[in-house]
Amino acid sequence: MDVHLLTYDLSGGLARQMSMSFLGFQLDAIYHTSIELDGVEYVYDGGINTIKPGSSHLGRPMERLHLGTTELPIEVILEYVDSLRSIFTPAAYDLFRHNCNNFSNDFATFLVGKGIPAHISNMPQAVLDSPFGKMLQPQLESMVQTRKAQQGGLLGIQSDPRSQPTASSAKPVAQANGHSPTPGVVRNVSNLQDLNVLLEGAQRSCAVVFFTSATCPPCKILYPLYDQLAAEMGDQVTLIKVDISQAFDIGQRYGVRATPTFATFLQGKEQERWSGADSARLRSTVRLLVDMAHPRHPHESLRLPHFADPRVKLVSYTKMPPLEKLVAKMATADPAVVGVKNFIETREKNGPAQSTLPEMQGFSAFMRNAVTELPVDVMFAVVDLFRCALIDPRVSGYYAEEVEHRTVATLLNFVNSLGTGCPYALRLVTLQMACNVFTSPLYPEQILAHSVLRDPVIQLVSTSFLDDSHNNVRVAAASLLFNIAVSNNKTRDSSEYLPESDQVELAASVLEAITQESSSSEALQGMLLALGYLVYRVPMESELVDLLRTMDAQDTVLAKAKDFPKEDLVKEVGSELLAKGLRRK
């Protein structure tokens, strides 16, 4: 997909006419920018909005600059945009310090690996640094507020319902370009191709097709109920509506002769079909279908407070070291390194709203070269600086791109190659760095699903559990495994990120670590949580369950009660999760 930068002039031409006289330098515009991608314009002004390109009250853009192309799937892009909403909030908007240009720069960096032109991104500071800048600022802010009031919205932007590809409001039908439908809504289908796409996507679950027509009054009576069922069931069922008076190919393919007619599908196969506006039958059939597609796991009937909470938070390491000392230890004047340091310091001091994403390509190149050019004892500083940067979801989101997997993988493989000779501090910060990549919601699917990074992560976890001299290393290894296990567990009902063989390997590793743990209650707690999330709601007929039974996982965990009598997780994992939850029928 092509990525374009759209530029507008907030001053309405005044900047070009008056800037030299008042500012002492030529300014062609007070730039307002946005990103155009796949027929949608993304803009930040009091919140992130999407509109039809060029439809704001500002009229046609001054320029439409081609920034490059992106191969990222649209669903990944939308997740990234959603992850930025906590940074680009209405309250955080500032015309000069945190504005649309900052958003465009960060979004462009994620999409194509580079930001927007410097003369645009540096414009606000250049104005503020001028003698007339402070006098000009209130006038510009007043202009913006006036236009908001006149247009009844943020810079006159009215969200176009036809161009709202956000994670909370996606297109109604899965299309060939990768747009994914949102769970919890009825999908309206108008052709056989789109219907086949949706049914194929529901092959591991279930679906209902509601055949209707424009001249069917009983059909319309059932529409509110159908919408309600979609909202209640969420992603557990795909509810589809087809108007056969328009979709002739579908009506012919399924031989529908009357409306309303319903057809149910389970695991990709049609189950039953009936006609008539029977609301009670529709409601009971949909709920039964969902129960058949997603049978209740034995774990869900047990008292497992640590594992049944959907609000569980992943572990990240946010403690800040003296950054000046870190960079000084690297003995480099690389501008990319200095830029990352300044970004972290600004974010810590003023918050994410006041920090602009630094130039990431240069920093990635520096880190990849560092493993061969810098001494081992200096690599600690490199990885720790990276760890601090990854606290920001914009940075971790950038490294979730497939093209940047190699940067993280390079660091992990370097540490793994050192084996037992890896310095304690370097191993510790590498584990913490790997935890911090999870600050982006893109990390699990985009990285754990790729062996180029998954394999070194698993190796790092397994070898770090063997460090019986440093409790902190085992704690960090358990934290990393916890993040992996929780992320994988959240997808049990669809497609898991971790192949079963890797789940087995990690379970065996953490069970061995639990057996050996005798000194650190914090490490044991982390291991038990990680094991618990690996196991929670695992398919009963799986290699992982076989392994747990073969290794006597229940007895292994319960045996820790002797050394750690105050650890409640020993009983919860051993007696409930492993004993009752995996009991043979």
Side-chain angles (χ1 to χ4, degrees):
M1 290 181 286
D2 288 327
V3 180
H4 289 90
L5 178 73
L6 305 184
T7 67
Y8 302 85
D9 181 11
L10 287 178
S11 73
L14 289 177
R16 181 183 293 273
Q17 299 174 21
M18 305 173 61
S19 58
M20 183 60 73
S21 300
F22 289 103
L23 300 178
F25 60 89
Q26 182 62 39
L27 191 65
D28 290 335
I30 302 296
Y31 289 102
H32 168 83
T33 64
S34 57
I35 297 294
E36 180 187 343
L37 175 72
D38 199 26
V40 177
E41 184 175 351
Y42 296 80
V43 61
Y44 168 57
D45 200 342
I48 299 175
N49 297 279
T50 55
I51 61 173
K52 184 179 179 180
S55 66
S56 83
H57 82 288
L58 294 173
R60 298 181 63 84
M62 293 171 50
E63 291 182 289
R64 184 173 181 265
L65 304 176
H66 185 254
L67 298 180
T69 60
T70 181
E71 300 298 326
L72 292 171
I74 189 66
E75 57 267 23
V76 172
I77 295 171
L78 299 183
E79 283 190 61
Y80 179 73
V81 171
D82 271 354
S83 74
L84 297 184
R85 295 186 189 280
S86 62
I87 296 174
F88 294 95
T89 65
Y93 184 85
D94 184 286
L95 181 63
F96 278 81
R97 298 176 180 83
H98 188 63
N99 55 38
C100 55
N101 301 326
N102 301 108
F103 168 74
S104 297
N105 186 76
D106 292 352
F107 195 18
T109 301
F110 173 73
L111 293 171
V112 298
K114 62 180 181 181
I116 65 177
H119 73 277
I120 297 176
S121 59
N122 294 337
M123 177 270 297
Q125 193 59 48
V127 172
L128 288 178
D129 288 343
S130 70
F132 194 65
K134 293 187 182 299
M135 295 177 62
L136 184 64
Q137 183 177 355
Q139 179 182 354
L140 289 171
E141 290 178 340
S142 176
M143 289 171 61
V144 172
Q145 294 301 323
T146 299
R147 293 190 180 191
K148 286 181 182 180
Q150 290 174 343
Q151 297 298 324
L154 302 169
L155 271 183
I157 290 174
Q158 298 296 328
S159 296
D160 185 344
R162 296 169 298 174
S163 57
Q164 288 288 315
T166 64
S168 60
S169 179
K171 293 187 177 181
V173 177
Q175 299 181 11
N177 64 1
H179 290 253
S180 298
T182 301
V185 298
V186 173
R187 280 70 156 176
N188 293 290
V189 173
S190 59
N191 60 73
L192 185 59
Q193 181 182 359
D194 283 345
L195 177 60
N196 289 338
V197 169
L198 286 174
L199 291 178
E200 183 178 351
Q203 283 190 349
R204 297 188 60 175
S205 181
C206 58
V208 180
V209 181
F210 181 174
F211 298 101
T212 180
S213 64
T215 57
C216 174
C219 296
K220 297 178 182 179
I221 295 175
L222 293 178
Y223 289 171
L225 172 60
Y226 206 53
D227 290 336
Q228 179 186 344
L229 289 170
E232 289 177 2
M233 300 302 172
D235 60 0
Q236 296 184 90
V237 61
T238 301
L239 296 186
I240 305 166
K241 187 189 298 179
V242 178
D243 185 342
I244 62 171
S245 63
Q246 297 180 4
F248 300 109
D249 54 346
I250 297 178
Q252 184 177 7
R253 163 66 178 80
Y254 285 91
V256 179
R257 302 182 182 278
T259 57
T261 292
F262 296 89
T264 63
F265 295 80
L266 179 64
Q267 307 295 335
K269 297 181 180 180
E270 184 173 346
Q271 294 297 297
E272 64 173 321
R273 190 184 300 197
W274 77 94
S275 298
D278 188 338
S279 59
R281 179 172 183 180
L282 175 60
R283 180 183 286 107
S284 61
T285 300
V286 170
R287 290 176 175 171
L288 177 61
L289 188 68
V290 168
D291 289 340
M292 294 171 64
H294 308 283
R296 188 174 175 82
H297 194 284
H299 285 157
E300 294 176 309
S301 62
L302 300 176
R303 186 178 180 278
L304 299 169
H306 285 92
F307 306 102
D309 186 359
R311 300 166 299 176
V312 60
K313 294 183 179 180
L314 302 183
V315 177
S316 58
Y317 289 85
T318 59
K319 184 177 181 179
M320 285 291 156
L323 297 183
E324 288 287 352
K325 292 183 178 179
L326 279 184
V327 175
K329 189 172 182 62
M330 298 179 210
T332 180
D334 191 312
V337 174
V338 176
V340 168
K341 179 187 79 73
N342 292 339
F343 165 76
I344 297 170
E345 289 177 334
T346 302
R347 189 185 190 281
E348 281 297 294
K349 182 179 179 180
N350 302 321
Q354 304 300 324
S355 58
T356 302
L357 197 66
E359 198 275 300
M360 301 307 304
Q361 283 186 322
F363 187 60
S364 295
F366 171 81
M367 288 191 291
R368 291 194 298 270
N369 293 332
V371 299
T372 57
E373 297 177 358
L374 296 181
V376 173
D377 60 339
V378 174
M379 285 303 300
F380 161 81
V382 175
V383 176
D384 205 26
L385 184 67
F386 187 34
R387 172 190 67 82
C388 296
L390 287 170
I391 293 171
D392 193 294
R394 291 170 291 181
V395 177
S396 53
Y398 176 81
Y399 285 96
E401 294 186 57
E402 187 171 356
V403 69
E404 285 298 342
H405 290 179
R406 57 180 177 153
T407 301
V408 183
T410 296
L411 297 177
L412 294 173
N413 286 326
F414 172 72
V415 170
N416 287 333
S417 70
L418 299 176
T420 57
C422 180
Y424 154 70
L426 176 57
R427 179 176 292 276
L428 179 62
V429 296
T430 302
L431 288 163
Q432 295 174 345
M433 174 271 292
C435 286
N436 283 7
V437 186
F438 282 88
T439 58
S440 167
L442 303 179
Y443 181 87
E445 182 175 2
Q446 292 304 305
I447 295 187
L448 291 184
H450 293 77
S451 61
V452 67
L453 195 51
R454 184 179 67 243
D455 292 348
V457 165
I458 292 174
Q459 182 181 351
L460 179 66
V461 169
S462 299
T463 55
S464 298
F465 277 146
L466 301 176
D467 188 343
D468 56 5
S469 300
H470 301 100
N471 293 345
N472 287 343
V473 167
R474 301 195 302 281
V475 170
S479 298
L480 179 53
L481 179 53
F482 172 81
N483 286 359
I484 295 170
V486 170
S487 300
N488 185 67
N489 187 275
K490 289 181 178 180
T491 67
R492 289 276 192 218
D493 295 328
S494 53
S495 58
E496 295 180 303
Y497 299 136
L498 282 176
E500 188 169 17
S501 59
D502 288 332
Q503 296 183 52
V504 168
E505 180 179 347
L506 287 169
S509 176
V510 72
L511 275 172
E512 180 64 26
I514 290 172
T515 301
Q516 300 297 325
E517 188 59 56
S518 60
S519 59
S520 172
S521 58
E522 187 178 4
L524 178 69
Q525 184 182 67
M527 294 170 188
L528 290 172
L529 285 170
L531 175 63
Y533 273 103
L534 274 176
V535 175
Y536 184 62
R537 295 175 63 241
V538 64
M540 298 299 289
E541 302 299 327
S542 65
E543 293 181 17
L544 179 54
V545 172
D546 292 340
L547 171 84
L548 296 170
R549 290 168 178 162
T550 301
M551 293 187 66
D552 293 325
Q554 173 191 347
D555 292 340
T556 297
V557 172
L558 292 176
K560 306 312 294 183
K562 180 179 179 181
D563 294 329
F564 301 91
K566 295 183 179 180
E567 181 52 69
D568 294 338
L569 275 168
V570 170
K571 182 178 180 180
E572 185 176 344
V573 174
S575 299
E576 297 289 326
L577 192 68
L578 295 174
K580 297 179 183 178
L582 299 182
R583 183 179 297 157
R584 285 188 175 89
K585 295 182 179 180

